[in-house]
Amino acid sequence: MGQVSLKDVSKSFALRIENKTQIVHALKSVSFDVAESEIVVLIGPSGCGKTTALRILMGLETASRGKVTIDGREIKGCGYDRGLVFQHAELLPWLSAVKNVMFGLEMKGMRGPELKETAMRYLDLVGLKDAADRRPYQLSGGMKQRVGIARALAIDPEVLLMDEPFGALDAQTRENLQAELLDIQKRTGKSIVFVTHDLDEAVLLADRIVVMRSGYVQEIIDVPLRKLGLDMATARATPTFGQIRLKVWEALHNQPTSSHAH
């Protein structure tokens, strides 16, 4: 499971500027699907609507028009079928790593011995079993993001939503976590919707890239690299990587089209 569908989703809101009300159209008839176990990456300039689309998917905002479903069920607010990883891990500073992961499970209603066992299993999945008792201030940026990923995965969502989760990290940590994310996805089979500004990241992670411009879907591009099972360094060296990267770059820089792709 974990099939996502956005169908003609629009989002408008009123902005008050110096006693004048301006209507902002953040999303304009956006449509795309995510298949089971697929990674779909949303890319586009700041203000193009990609984070708004992710927030609507999470249930943090409602669409002005259109329909959003997961496994055929229309989204009504937040739910445990979705897990969200933020750009910054947003950990509770007074709780240890394992207790931050346990917190999400407790909110879901889990109690007893399986609570800590489950949290530890997911910390192990992200390679942090030995750091379980550390507080957030004792963790590096990359380790904090791993805890955030473990916390989102522990509730066993159908879909993992990720809003530029590696954007604030140094290049080496970022590359390590990209590789780990692909490995985790392979082991868990989760569907992932991933927001990024980074062209290389989009091409290396995605099965399909949704290029967004000014609230529209400009183009949807298939990426065959992940299916080849190559490690990231080898994938980056292939002609396909360069070709897809150029195609995404052109979609980002060509004139926006209002005949949005489906």
Side-chain angles (χ1 to χ4, degrees), residues 13 17 38 46 48 53 75 82 90 102 108-109 118 126 129 153 194 204 220 237 244 250 259-260 262:
F13 55 88
I17 301 172
E38 186 179 34
S46 294
C48 72
I75 285 175
R82 286 149 282 152
E90 309 292 346
M102 286 165 66
K108 197 179 177 182
T118 303
V126 298
K129 200 173 186 178
L153 284 170
F194 190 105
L204 289 167
I220 297 177
I244 300 284
E250 287 174 343
S259 60
H260 19 283
H262 288 273

Side-chain angles (χ1 to χ4, degrees), residues 43-44 199-200 202-203 207-213 218-225 239-255 261:
I43 193 169
L199 270 172
D200 288 17
V203 178
D207 294 304
R208 283 185 304 135
I209 297 170
V210 177
V211 181
M212 295 185 69
R213 298 277 300 278
Q218 170 83 352
E219 194 172 343
I220 297 177
I221 298 167
D222 287 315
V223 187
L225 280 175
T240 306
F241 174 83
Q243 289 158 6
I244 300 284
R245 193 186 188 284
L246 178 60
K247 197 172 181 183
V248 177
W249 188 91
E250 287 174 343
L252 286 168
H253 291 83
N254 289 343
Q255 282 302 308

Side-chain angles (χ1 to χ4, degrees), residues 38-239:
E38 186 179 34
I39 300 178
V40 169
V41 172
L42 310 184
I43 193 169
S46 294
C48 72
K50 54 192 185 299
T51 294
T52 301
L54 203 74
R55 287 176 65 82
I56 288 171
L57 257 175
M58 187 63 202
L60 295 170
E61 292 186 31
T62 54
S64 306
R65 287 195 310 279
K67 193 173 181 181
V68 185
T69 61
I70 291 183
D71 298 329
R73 300 183 307 272
E74 194 161 358
I75 285 175
K76 302 285 185 193
C78 297
Y80 293 111
D81 54 351
R82 286 149 282 152
L84 179 60
V85 180
F86 300 91
Q87 182 171 1
H88 301 283
E90 309 292 346
L91 303 180
L92 300 170
W94 60 90
L95 293 180
S96 65
V98 69
K99 285 185 176 170
N100 265 284
V101 179
M102 286 165 66
F103 180 77
L105 291 165
E106 286 174 311
M107 296 295 284
K108 197 179 177 182
M110 189 181 283
R111 298 289 182 270
E114 71 167 329
L115 180 60
K116 188 167 185 180
E117 285 166 20
T118 303
M120 286 301 293
R121 191 165 74 247
Y122 282 95
L123 276 181
D124 192 25
L125 184 71
V126 298
L128 279 184
K129 200 173 186 178
D130 294 337
D133 295 325
R134 293 195 205 173
R135 298 271 180 90
Y137 76 90
Q138 297 168 315
L139 301 170
S140 69
M143 291 166 92
K144 286 177 190 171
Q145 282 306 87
R146 284 191 180 96
V147 177
I149 293 167
R151 181 177 58 189
L153 284 170
I155 61 168
D156 196 24
E158 298 290 340
V159 182
L160 192 60
L161 307 172
M162 308 187 81
D163 190 7
E164 294 193 67
F166 311 142
L169 303 173
D170 65 86
Q172 192 175 349
T173 304
R174 184 176 191 144
E175 285 183 15
N176 289 343
L177 281 179
Q178 288 166 353
E180 279 188 29
L181 178 66
L182 289 178
D183 185 51
I184 288 166
Q185 195 280 336
K186 210 171 180 178
R187 284 187 274 167
T188 62
K190 297 292 179 198
S191 305
I192 298 175
V193 183
F194 190 105
V195 165
T196 186
H197 279 99
D198 190 277
L199 270 172
D200 288 17
E201 183 167 74
V203 178
L204 289 167
L205 295 181
D207 294 304
R208 283 185 304 135
I209 297 170
V210 177
V211 181
M212 295 185 69
R213 298 277 300 278
S214 309
Y216 290 114
V217 172
Q218 170 83 352
E219 194 172 343
I220 297 177
I221 298 167
D222 287 315
V223 187
L225 280 175
R226 210 164 71 88
K227 295 180 182 73
L228 300 174
L230 306 171
D231 65 64
M232 291 180 76
T234 309
R236 199 187 281 269
T238 62

